[in-house]
Amino acid sequence: HRQYRKNVGRNIEFELADGNRLTAKLLEVHEDHVLVERMAEKKKNKIKQLQSEGSMQLAYTDIAKALVQISFN
């Protein structure tokens, strides 16, 4: 979980153990799980924007892969 601590506040794309993908903002890191704010892509005037859909907990065992999303804003 050490690699998650340095990325708190960043958008992360998670690949879950069940094969689903989730884009979320990393809020908190705990010993057995992370707290994330779910993000959904919305198009506004042909521009993709991320909007919050609420927070949720992800256990480390549920995460197969995590990639930091680079933002140039």
Side-chain angles (χ1 to χ4, degrees):
H1 61 78
R2 183 172 21 134
Q3 69 271 20
Y4 292 107
R5 280 209 172 99
K6 66 180 181 180
N7 290 307
V8 169
R10 293 186 175 169
N11 289 334
I12 312 282
E13 182 178 335
F14 294 98
E15 184 178 321
L16 304 179
D18 63 6
N20 290 326
R21 291 185 180 269
L22 169 70
T23 301
K25 182 176 184 177
L26 186 58
L27 299 176
E28 297 177 12
V29 178
H30 300 276
E31 288 297 319
D32 58 344
H33 69 278
V34 292
L35 182 65
V36 298
E37 183 178 9
R38 294 180 59 181
M39 306 297 275
E41 280 189 5
K42 304 286 183 188
K43 285 191 176 181
K44 184 176 181 180
N45 297 331
K46 298 183 182 180
I47 298 173
K48 288 183 184 178
Q49 295 179 334
L50 294 176
Q51 285 187 327
S52 173
E53 289 191 334
S55 60
M56 64 182 286
Q57 291 183 3
L58 282 177
Y60 293 122
T61 55
D62 294 336
I63 301 170
K65 189 176 182 180
L67 296 171
V68 175
Q69 299 298 301
I70 306 298
S71 175
F72 295 102
N73 295 349

